[in-house]
Amino acid sequence: QVQLVESGGGLVQPGGSLRLSCAASGSIFSIGAMGWYRQAPGKERELVATITDGAVTNYKDSAKGRFTISRDNAKNTVYLQMNSLKPEDTAVYYCNAGVRKTRYGVNVDFWGQGTQVTVSS
């Protein structure tokens, strides 16, 4: 099986920064795209940022210029550096990865358990 474990969430004041990490482990041959999504209370889960295995990135408009997604392929880990945080960034943040378990297998999506980010004074 494959596990994605997030860390780095917490409470931060407006304008502050947090760095989220997500490490994948288990039966992994390779990982394709990885990403961060978030879900605020009463709202649908939304994409925040993604990064391909070739390091091509994509961001939600409101995250551009404030958030940076990166990955360490040797550690099967994806990061989300969040700066200039706003109260509207408050949500549970979920890590996602497309994992191939064998050389000729297909990519299957896996999700982490989520980490709470609260931006409040």
Side-chain angles (χ1 to χ4, degrees), residues 45-106:
R45 188 173 298 187
E46 62 179 6
L47 180 148
V48 178
T50 61
I51 183 168
T52 68
D53 53 355
V56 176
T57 59
N58 178 55
Y59 295 92
K60 173 182 174 64
D61 283 347
S62 64
K64 292 177 181 178
R66 299 189 299 128
F67 295 2
T68 302
I69 189 170
S70 60
R71 63 191 286 172
D72 184 333
N73 292 328
K75 296 181 179 179
N76 289 336
T77 299
V78 62
Y79 306 95
L80 185 68
Q81 177 67 42
M82 303 186 293
N83 299 328
S84 302
L85 282 161
K86 304 175 181 179
E88 51 264 42
D89 294 318
T90 296
V92 177
Y93 283 69
Y94 296 91
C95 169
N96 170 268
V99 176
R100 182 178 299 181
K101 292 186 176 182
T102 62
R103 180 175 183 177
Y104 300 107
V106 297

Side-chain angles (χ1 to χ4, degrees), residues 7-9 18-22 36 78-80 82 93 115 117:
S7 61
L18 282 175
R19 188 191 194 211
L20 305 183
S21 299
C22 172
W36 290 95
V78 62
Y79 306 95
L80 185 68
M82 303 186 293
Y93 283 69
T115 185
V117 171

Side-chain angles (χ1 to χ4, degrees), residues 5-17:
V5 178
E6 298 117 333
S7 61
L11 173 64
V12 64
Q13 292 186 343
S17 298

